[in-house]
Each structure stands twice: as structure tokens, then as C-alpha cells.
Amino acid sequence: MAVERYNPREVEPRWQAKWNEADIFTTDNNDPRDKYYVLEMFPYPSGRIHMGHVRNYAMGDVVARYKRARGFNVLHPMGWDAFGMPAENAAMQNKTHPKAWTYENIATMRKQLKSLGLSLDWSREFATCDVEYYHRQQHLFLDFLEKGLIYRKKSKVNWDPVDQTVLANEQVIEGRGWRSGALVEQRELTQWFFKITDFAQDLLESLDTLDQWPEKVRLMQKNWIGRSEGLTLRWEVVSDAAAGEFKEVTVYTTRPDTLFGASFLAIAADHPLALHIAQSNPEVAAFADECRKTGTSLAALETAEKKGMDTGIKVRHPLDPDWELPVYVANFVLMDYGTGAIFGCPAGDQRDLDFARKYGLPVTPVVMPADADASTFEIGDEAFTDDGVMINSRFLNGMTTEAAFEEIASRLEAEMFNGSPRAERKVNYRLRDWGISRQRYWGCPIPVIHCEDCGIVPVPKQDLPVQLPDDVTFDKPGNPLDRHPTWRQVSCPHCGKNALRETDTMDTFVDSSWYFARFTAPWADAPTEPEAANGWLPVDQYIGGIEHAILHLLYSRFFTRAMKETGHVNLKEPFKGLFTQGMVVHETYRLGSGMNGQWIAPADIRIEENDGTRRAFLLSSNEEVTIGSIEKMSKSKKNVVDPDDILASYGSDTARFFVLSDSPPDRDVIWTESGVEGSHRFVQRLWRLIGEAAPHLSEIAANPASEGEALAVSQAAHKTLKAVGEDFDKLAFNKAVARIYELLNALAAPLTKVAEGKADEAYVAAVRDASCILVQIIAPIMPHLAEECWNLIGTGGLVAKAAWPQFDTALVVESEITLPVQINGKKRGELTIARDAHQNEVEAAVLALDFVQNALDGQQPKKIVVVPKRIVNVVV
RNA sequence: GCGGGCGUGGUGGAAUCGGUAGACACAAGGGACUUAAAAUCCCUCGGCCAAGGCUGUACGGGUUCGAGUCCCGUCGCCCGCACCA
């Protein structure tokens, strides 16, 4: 019989409505079953969802639906990371209010997400710009402040001297402001900081407990925290009028063993000594100013050419009073790290070597490889940075690097200089405290008041929330809160005098550092309901982009610790399992070249393919378009595919199935139109095969076959069921998809046979069992299609509420296995033998094989390697 | 610059712990059905030579009975670098 084509436009909204009616995705905190919290990183409401969102949320939804079928009480919420710069940029460009712009975007994107049929608990939805949310964030801020986890200090920002405003790093392009084009300067402001460094050691050590995180993310965090063991070492300044009061310079070094290879000291442009010298030395002052024009991003600083300026000051070597070294100001030494001063050993550090070559400073090799010859070992263009044997280092000669470190450290620790030890062992971290002050409007106001008499006064909790005023304008650069006529005016909670509100708002990373905890009780008056938070947390499976591997995840780990210290939760690690998914990428198309070229959207072209050559043409004019490289979907390159277009033509199930197919989920997926069509063909094929057989299937109860013709059908279904469950447990969605294809291929002929009425009862029962399994394993990926098929087979109820089926153990084990047989490591044939055959039996059977006999040519084999159940290798 | 990752047919990828390289899909080619097209179904599909074999996982080395997988080096691409989210 003929079956109508599957029409997702009709089917998908219908099932979404049924799920709503049955209210099956709303989560009850008091449900006694085992909990499972699956969370995808919440989106920034940029305007419309993109394919990256579809992929991210499809993955989370598969996990949520699968775990629900497995009997867990699943929490799967959604919200909006809604504060941030784009809303202010839009306000400046389009004269819209950030609040209106943001909530309109949220409305659009919520509608788009709902059409995907995600199994989300929408009753817990919030946006970080909701007053109810940032109210509680201010509550947390006050608690952290009270605990001593927050302080103020001076720190640098990118300052645009034309727009008179602070710029984000991404707004600094090649050292210039993105709007004004003016050279950016560094400027110091007093800003608020979270003391993340208090937890540096714990954040580092606890990485070992995160065994469900990708190894690479743990490694990146470890390197980011950057624990090093070294020495602070004081150098005596050779008396000099220019040095003034400065009698010594303290450096931090992790390589005290290379001390005899030192050839200069380098200090940061903002080092107190540099600042002092700059007062009397215009050259140094000019150079330091130049260093300050690089902007504040580390990448910009480090890719800049390494430069320095001799201060004229000299220091004495700690181990030789007759040895004097020059002190440079250098642009690669950072005031934020260590002591803001280093000693340069050109032979043992590439940066120091480049610097020494540039300024004609001596290069003395002090470490050489263990097997090198001390009399001939030289440093050319490359420093020797490995461990080895000490040379040219007086009493250290012949020692290992490690022993030399210990020798220098203990000698200098014991030596007194100006009344205190010359050196001290010190553990240092690269991690810096987290600066959260932003001079912007669209963020969470920092709830403090500045009073002339009382200083900094926290806003009393009963006065929260400190609400953002709505009546602001964006016609001028700078922070609208600063120039608001009345908002700042407030009386001091202490003394009642006129005082001023803090106008800095919080970094948006703060908003995203605890939203996962808020989802557990978004209605709570306090930031969390501890019982709910402790019950649900940690998040069992967190899914998001690799671009958040360091900052967002590290800040969230810090926040959870800080919330523990302030009694809002009682755990340290917020995310038990982490999965980082890849991006969705697409070909680019370009019309014309060079300056006149323009990017063309995929929707505006058609592709022709002849003899393997693909050419693209503009739909409107038939002009040929150049096919460019495959890149991350971005507005600027126009290589975006709007999920709405895909949903309109293929439906949500096809889109979800496609983004989970082919590519491993942690790698990028290339969006291709032909790939989507392939996925859609599968949807139609499954619908047709099930639909044609359904009238017969619905008449007979499911029953797997244990013998006869139908055995193969049941074996295929149960093996796939087992494998797909394991794949879902590992988030290996692409493998699950491949197995689903395989199963449908295996069921195609049996389903047709049933449809044609040529099957006996036992066969139909086995096919029905297999069909139900098929429908249940596709249900997490293609929930609408699954409900429609489920209904057609006449199973009753919703698949979304059905328990995950059990596979039959007897159907998934093989009694015989086929082993590949190699001769000298190359496959030459196969051996089929009982699964539980003993090693001796396998060897005997292999030696009896014709091709083995031929290869041996009468001789004895040198060796036979038998890897049980895997392979046999005969060495002749 | 520093830190992290990736590289397998025409294409996306599979290969669980070092054990049959190319599962599954896309594209392409051929055939069946059709008045025709679409849809569907069947076959072929890394390269080289005729079988049988040789060769092949970015490139160059190494370890091993056996390497896509481990080690060393090179090249290319991607992510992060603290005020994008």
C-alpha cells in the first residue's frame, strides 16, 4: 500500500502540543527518582539562533530524552545570557533601547528553540538581565565582599582618547579603536576584583577529580593556572644618582640554576624603578610610553617585536660582587606576573636570546645536553631550554639542572643581604585575580555606595535590587550611568549624607558563573535554595563550545567555591561531566575578487556538479561565483544557514538528525545541502517502511525470535539496541546514527515482506519487536517522527514517556567469531572458530590453513601471536 | 609569541586497549521501474598493474611480531590568551 509522504510541518507542532498538554518536561524537585542534570551553555540573545545552537541543543536534548527513558528525574532548563556589549552597540546604531532589543531577541529565539521540539523545562527559564536574577547576583556580591573575596585595586584598561571610552580587547584592532581609529592607550582605573587566586592551588589540584572532563580542557586549565616553583632573588643596585632610593631589584625566576648565564635584568615599563628613572631620563620615559600604547591584550603584547631600553642602571651579580649587569626596561616583561622583573639568561631562554642578540649582550651557555662536549658546545640561533648538565657555572659545573637549582636556592636562602635572606623559595601562579568592573550600562550594577565620610559602603540587602534605570541615552560615548541626572544620587546607608552609587557594572562572565545553580530553584528569594541546589548539583553533563574551555569554566569553578564559603551551596565542582562540541562550518562563496569582491549567502546560489567539478552560480543573474574555503559560520562571510529555512523545508527532526550525523560531536561539522537532503531521505524512508508495514504490525504483539528465519532480524535489532545505548552514554551520536542507518538497512526487506502480507505470525512479531526498538532508539534524536511511528504501530502512549527497552542477552552474543590471520603483520586470510576456543586450538587451526601452509613452505613458524578474540599473526 | 587541539578515499567520517584501514553516509557512474521525470530499488566506487599482488591514514624518521593509533622532527589548519560571549 502507498503511504503519504511524511509532512513535518503538520506533524511536529502536533506532537509538541501533545507534550505540552501532558506536561512531561516540567521537572519536580521532589521527585524521588535518581536525578540527572543536563545543561547546555545558555545562548547570548543575538537575534536569531544559528546552526551551532541547533547542534548544541540537539546534543543536550538527546541526553535528556535518553536519560529520561532510563528512569532518571531529568533537569533540562534553558535561559539567556542576556547582558553584554552587543545590546549597547545596537542601541548606538539603531536607537533601540538595550532592554527592548534584548527581550525582543529573546522572544524570537525562544520561538525558534521551541520549534526544535527540545525537551526543556521552560517553567524555569530566566534571562540574566531579569531584575529577579541580577538582584540575587548582587546578594552574592555582598556576601563575597563580606567574606573578603572581593577587593579594589588599580588596573589597566584600553582607553580610546577620541571616543573617551574604555574599549574591550576585541574593539582594539591593530592597536587602534574600532570606531575612532585612534591609537589606543593604557589607562589605570580603580576596579573591583574577585580573589580567584585564593583558590589557585585548589582549582589546580581538583582538576584531577574531574575525570569526566576532556583531558585537553584540564590541561589547558592547568597551564592557565600556571603553578611554578622558583625563587625570588634580590639584586643590589650599583649606587647611581638616577636610581635614587632604589637599593635593590627583586626578580622572580624558575631557573636559578642558570644564574651564571645571566647577562641583563629586564623590568616592566610600570615597574616602580622604571617609573622613577623615567622622571629623569626622557628616553626611558618615551619608551615606557610606547609600551603603554600596545593595549592590554596579552596576545598583542607577545606578538609585538621584543624591544628594550637601557636604563643606564647597573646591578651586582648575587654570586660575584665584581660582576655588573645592565638593567633594561623591556616590553615583554609584565608587571602583573611575578615581581615585574626578570634576569635574562640568553643561552637558556629563546626570548632572552633574541633580546641579547638585538642589543649585543653576552651569551654564555650554562646548560648543555648530557652527551655534548663542554669545550665545543655553543649557542647559535636557538637557546637550549631543556634540562642537562651545568657548564661555565663555577661551583655548579657538572651538576644536573635539578641539583644546580637546589644548590643555588639553598646557598642564597642562607645568605643575608641588607638584613634579610638574599633569596626565598616561592610558588607562583600565572593566574591573576578576576577584574569584574566594566564601565558600561548593560550589566549587573555593582551594589556599593561611595560616601565621602564612610568610604565604600555596601548597599544593605534590604535595599536590593539596585536597578538599572531605563531612561538612558546612547548618543554619547562613555557609561550612561555616569551621566544619568539622578540615578547616582543616594544617601549613605551609614551616615545618611549625600553619597554616590558605584557606576561600574559587572563583567558578563559573572552572570554565567552561577546560572546553573539558579536553575535548581529560580523562584527562590535568596540566590539559591540550598537544598535544591545541593540535590541537583553538580551538573551531570554540561555541553558547550571549546572556546569556553578556560575562562567561563574556571570562573564557574571559582564561583562555586565562593558560594560554598558563603553558604549557598555545599560543593566545589559545578560540572561533573563536560563535553565540548565542535562548530558548524560552511563553504564560503564570493563574487568578484579583491576590494570589489563580496560574500554571497548559500541561499542565493545554486551548485552544479560535472565530472567531479563543482561550480557555483548566483540564482538571480547566473553569474559564476568562486567557491571558497570552509569556515565557521559568520555574518561577515555570509556563510550562514538560517535554521528557520531548514525547519521550514525539512523540519526539526531532519535538522537534528543531520547535525548529529557524520562528524564526531567534539569536532566541527560541515553543513552541506546534500547532506541535509540525505538525512531527509532517511526520515522519509523510515516513515514509508514503517508506515507500509504498520497495518500488519499493529495486529500482533511484539516478540523477538529465538530461531528460524526471523532470528537475524531480532539479532540485528538487539545488537543495535545495545550498541546505541553505549553510544549515547558516551555522547557518540555520530556512531549511533551510523548504527541506526545499518539497522534500517537490515529491516528494509523484512518490513517490506510484512507489508506485502508474506510473513507468518512469528516473523511479524519479531519485526514488530525490531520496529519498536528502532523507533525508541531514534526517539531521542528525532522525537516527532518517533511519536508518529509509535502511534502508527499502535503501541499506545508517548515514546517520550516510554522506558528504554532491554536488549536480550542471548541475541547479542555470537557463538563463533572470525579472526583475521596475518603473516608477518599482513592480513592473508581469516579463521572462523568457536568464540571460546582455547589458544592452542586457535594455533592448531591457523597452522592447518592452506595459505599458512604455503607461506611456511615446510618450515616451523618463528612465532605465533594470538590476541584472544582479535587477531592471529604468524611470523615466518 | 605562548598554551591546547586536529590532519584517513572525490567528500563527512569509522576503526573500543597497538591488532582486518575506509563501517555508515554524501557525491559520482551504471542498471531496473516509468510515455517521461521525480521518488524508489539493485550494482560499482582509495591508487596502480590484467588475475594475483603491490601501495596507501599530511610529510620525514623511530619503537614493535604488528602503527591511523606510541615516540622524535617538519608542514598545514583550528581554538584560547584574562573587557566578545
Side-chain angles (χ1 to χ4, degrees):
Chain A
M1 68 167 272
V3 170
E4 270 183 57
R5 271 178 77 77
Y6 180 71
N7 180 4
R9 278 183 299 278
E10 184 271 319
V11 171
E12 293 183 350
R14 181 151 49 77
W15 288 108
Q16 286 164 17
K18 294 215 173 172
W19 295 329
N20 260 341
E21 278 164 38
D23 195 28
I24 48 180
F25 304 132
T26 306
T27 304
D28 178 4
N29 279 2
N30 297 315
D31 189 314
R33 293 174 298 166
D34 285 346
K35 67 100 182 179
Y36 195 91
Y37 186 178
V38 54
L39 182 68
E40 303 94 61
M41 291 180 184
F42 64 166
Y44 178 78
S46 54
R48 307 181 66 75
I49 64 167
H50 52 71
M51 278 302 164
H53 292 128
V54 175
R55 195 175 188 215
N56 192 188
Y57 301 131
M59 287 179 193
D61 202 45
V62 171
V63 175
R65 287 176 181 271
Y66 172 65
K67 289 292 177 182
R68 229 177 257 121
R70 284 283 193 178
F72 289 91
N73 182 32
V74 170
L75 176 59
H76 187 213
M78 179 57 70
W80 309 94
D81 190 10
F83 275 136
M85 285 202 312
E88 292 194 30
N89 293 334
M92 284 177 229
Q93 276 165 25
N94 312 326
K95 310 247 182 257
T96 52
H97 193 281
K99 190 176 185 176
W101 183 86
T102 303
Y103 281 105
E104 276 164 29
N105 286 348
I106 288 175
T108 309
M109 291 172 75
R110 181 192 299 117
K111 194 166 165 249
Q112 289 184 299
L113 286 184
K114 286 197 170 177
S115 67
L116 281 172
L118 303 171
S119 65
L120 291 163
D121 180 353
W122 284 102
S123 72
R124 295 175 188 243
E125 176 195 3
F126 60 77
T128 55
C129 64
D130 292 346
V131 180
E132 294 73 28
Y133 185 78
Y134 73 70
H135 175 173
R136 276 76 200 190
Q137 188 160 305
Q138 291 171 340
H139 180 145
L140 287 174
F141 181 96
L142 295 174
D143 287 351
F144 291 3
L145 187 63
E146 201 182 342
K147 262 279 171 193
L149 293 169
I150 303 181
Y151 67 102
R152 296 175 89 206
K153 72 170 177 186
K154 285 197 167 179
S155 132
K156 299 239 180 74
V157 293
N158 299 307
W159 179 256
D160 185 321
V162 171
D163 275 353
Q164 295 281 304
T165 191
V166 176
L167 297 177
N169 281 338
E170 71 155 12
Q171 297 173 318
V172 180
I173 294 152
E174 287 172 9
R176 293 173 182 275
W178 65 338
R179 275 189 231 277
S180 68
L183 276 174
V184 169
E185 296 165 11
Q186 294 181 4
R187 185 175 269 213
E188 274 203 326
L189 295 178
T190 302
Q191 310 213 65
W192 291 94
F193 282 81
F194 284 164
K195 271 192 178 170
I196 190 170
T197 54
D198 275 9
F199 298 90
Q201 188 62 31
D202 187 39
L203 287 167
L204 179 67
E205 283 170 5
S206 301
L207 286 173
D208 291 339
T209 68
L210 299 174
D211 54 358
Q212 291 176 45
W213 280 38
E215 188 55 43
K216 62 177 171 181
V217 174
R218 289 193 280 167
L219 194 57
M220 279 192 254
Q221 292 219 349
K222 183 179 172 215
N223 290 333
W224 185 262
I225 294 167
R227 183 192 152 100
S228 63
E229 290 179 17
L231 221 53
T232 54
L233 173 58
R234 296 155 63 217
W235 298 63
E236 182 188 354
V237 173
V238 176
S239 164
D240 185 319
E245 298 296 303
F246 290 87
K247 302 290 182 221
E248 57 184 72
V249 179
T250 305
V251 305
Y252 177 74
T253 177
T254 57
R255 292 296 303 273
D257 50 295
T258 65
L259 195 49
F260 287 109
S263 65
F264 62 95
L265 248 61
I267 60 177
D270 291 304
H271 191 278
L273 176 60
L275 297 176
H276 177 80
I277 294 164
Q279 287 171 14
S280 58
N281 182 333
E283 271 190 306
V284 170
F287 180 75
D289 276 345
E290 196 192 315
C291 292
R292 288 184 196 102
K293 286 211 168 118
T294 333
T296 59
S297 113
L298 195 61
L301 290 173
E302 293 205 4
T303 44
E305 192 194 352
K306 309 288 173 287
K307 283 189 204 164
M309 173 64 65
D310 193 345
T311 60
I313 305 280
K314 299 261 190 267
V315 287
R316 249 185 260 290
H317 196 280
L319 294 163
D320 183 347
D322 297 328
W323 184 352
E324 294 185 358
L325 291 82
V327 177
Y328 279 73
V329 174
N331 65 351
F332 59 88
V333 180
L334 305 172
M335 198 58 220
D336 286 330
Y337 184 75
T339 59
I342 60 151
F343 79 77
C345 172
D349 183 288
Q350 193 59 43
R351 210 163 43 176
D352 294 349
L353 181 63
D354 296 342
F355 192 82
R357 294 285 189 230
K358 185 165 183 168
Y359 295 103
L361 296 160
V363 177
T364 311
V366 283
V367 183
M368 65 168 192
D371 54 3
D373 177 359
S375 58
T376 56
F377 182 71
E378 276 179 21
I379 295 290
D381 290 335
E382 265 180 56
F384 181 75
T385 55
D386 291 344
D387 285 359
V389 176
M390 304 308 301
I391 50 172
N392 302 322
S393 294
R394 307 188 192 183
F395 55 86
L396 301 175
N397 284 344
M399 287 185 189
T400 62
T401 311
E402 209 179 323
F405 184 116
E406 283 306 312
E407 177 65 29
I408 293 272
S410 43
R411 238 182 228 241
L412 294 178
E413 264 179 326
E415 187 197 321
M416 296 303 281
F417 169 62
N418 286 346
S420 48
R422 166 73 81 171
E424 277 180 75
R425 287 176 202 257
K426 175 129 195 271
V427 172
N428 202 40
Y429 299 91
R430 206 185 72 99
L431 182 68
R432 307 199 301 254
D433 276 334
W434 174 14
I436 59 145
S437 284
R438 297 292 181 270
Q439 293 70 41
R440 295 183 218 294
Y441 166 75
W442 196 232
C444 172
I446 293 175
V448 297
I449 289 164
H450 298 266
C451 170
E452 258 181 41
D453 292 350
C454 312
I456 288 167
V457 183
V459 174
K461 274 191 194 148
Q462 65 269 21
D463 293 350
L464 293 183
V466 177
Q467 281 205 52
L468 287 171
D470 286 338
D471 52 336
V472 287
T473 55
F474 293 88
D475 46 356
K476 290 178 224 150
N479 185 352
L481 295 178
D482 270 335
R483 55 171 190 266
H484 191 279
T486 55
W487 186 79
R488 295 191 72 182
Q489 317 298 327
V490 66
S491 42
C492 172
H494 247 200
C495 66
K497 253 183 80 172
N498 286 343
L500 290 174
R501 284 194 190 284
E502 169 71 60
T503 58
D504 282 356
T505 51
M506 295 185 209
D507 178 6
T508 56
F509 270 122
V510 179
D511 312 337
S512 55
S513 290
W514 71 286
Y515 76 109
F516 47 86
R518 184 70 187 169
F519 276 137
T520 64
W523 47 78
D525 207 29
T528 65
E529 218 165 72
E531 202 186 325
N534 297 331
W536 282 112
L537 293 172
V539 174
D540 293 278
Q541 187 62 61
Y542 195 38
I543 307 175
I546 183 70
E547 66 273 21
H548 295 292
I550 298 176
L551 291 180
H552 162 61
L553 292 169
L554 196 61
Y555 290 154
S556 298
R557 296 179 64 217
F558 157 72
F559 233 79
T560 307
R561 283 163 171 76
M563 287 172 78
K564 181 169 189 260
E565 295 217 340
T566 49
H568 296 288
V569 295
N570 72 356
L571 77 164
K572 291 202 296 191
E573 290 297 342
F575 310 121
K576 185 166 169 224
L578 172 70
F579 191 86
T580 55
Q581 105 267 3
M583 297 178 299
V584 180
V585 294
H586 196 284
E587 261 179 356
T588 49
Y589 308 101
R590 202 167 162 83
L591 184 63
S593 60
M595 294 293 281
N596 299 321
Q598 51 176 340
W599 300 103
I600 305 292
D604 297 332
I605 59 136
R606 92 192 130 76
I607 300 274
E608 274 182 19
E609 184 152 356
N610 269 316
D611 300 327
T613 321
R614 298 174 69 241
R615 298 168 73 190
F617 299 91
L618 206 57
L619 279 177
S620 53
S621 65
N622 268 336
E623 265 182 284
E624 182 156 6
V625 172
T626 315
I627 299 180
S629 60
I630 294 168
E631 297 186 44
K632 177 177 179 173
M633 285 190 181
S634 74
K635 277 183 191 161
S636 61
K637 300 267 170 77
K638 284 201 179 170
N639 59 338
V640 288
V641 174
D642 192 323
D644 272 359
D645 295 344
I646 301 302
L647 294 184
S649 32
Y650 301 104
S652 157
D653 284 338
T654 297
R656 295 167 56 127
F657 188 65
F658 176 69
V659 291
L660 298 177
S661 302
D662 291 357
S663 286
D666 54 350
R667 272 205 243 166
D668 293 351
V669 64
I670 302 182
W671 184 274
T672 61
E673 322 312 314
S674 57
V676 185
E677 281 164 25
S679 294
H680 193 62
R681 267 204 297 279
F682 176 83
V683 168
Q684 292 293 350
R685 184 165 179 238
L686 191 146
W687 167 250
R688 186 169 42 78
L689 287 168
I690 297 276
E692 286 172 356
H696 294 89
L697 294 177
S698 59
E699 288 167 0
I700 286 175
N703 190 24
S706 54
E707 56 179 12
E709 197 192 1
L711 178 62
V713 170
S714 295
Q715 281 177 329
H718 284 256
K719 275 184 195 168
T720 306
L721 170 60
K722 177 172 186 281
V724 167
E726 288 163 2
D727 289 337
F728 283 161
D729 282 330
K730 288 182 291 193
L731 309 185
F733 308 112
N734 58 322
K735 291 191 214 168
V737 166
R739 292 190 215 280
I740 287 169
Y741 269 111
E742 271 174 317
L743 180 58
L744 186 62
N745 286 343
L747 291 184
L751 280 166
T752 306
K753 187 172 167 179
V754 169
E756 289 168 347
K758 294 176 184 165
D760 62 27
E761 232 173 77
Y763 195 86
V764 176
V767 173
R768 175 166 177 155
D769 176 65
S771 300
C772 288
I773 287 173
L774 176 64
V775 169
Q776 285 205 267
I777 61 179
I778 65 158
I781 303 176
M782 299 187 281
H784 312 87
L785 175 65
E787 295 289 5
E788 195 69 5
C789 290
W790 195 249
N791 186 48
L792 210 56
I793 299 174
T795 318
L798 293 165
V799 194
K801 289 183 80 171
W804 194 253
Q806 296 276 320
F807 63 85
D808 182 337
T809 321
L811 290 168
V812 299
V813 291
E814 302 273 4
S815 56
E816 289 195 324
I817 50 172
T818 300
L819 291 175
V821 178
Q822 297 181 328
I823 290 169
N824 292 336
K826 283 185 191 273
K827 190 196 164 190
R828 285 292 180 267
E830 287 176 341
L831 172 72
T832 302
I833 197 163
R835 186 184 165 78
D836 50 6
H838 194 268
Q839 176 152 343
N840 297 339
E841 298 174 67
V842 175
E843 276 187 32
V846 163
L847 287 175
L849 292 167
D850 285 350
F851 63 90
V852 176
Q853 286 294 317
N854 290 342
L856 284 172
D857 200 19
Q859 292 175 306
Q860 279 299 305
K862 238 188 199 166
K863 190 174 175 184
I864 302 179
V865 183
V866 179
V867 184
K869 297 188 176 80
R870 293 199 80 83
I871 203 165
V872 182
N873 189 13
V874 183
V875 186
V876 300

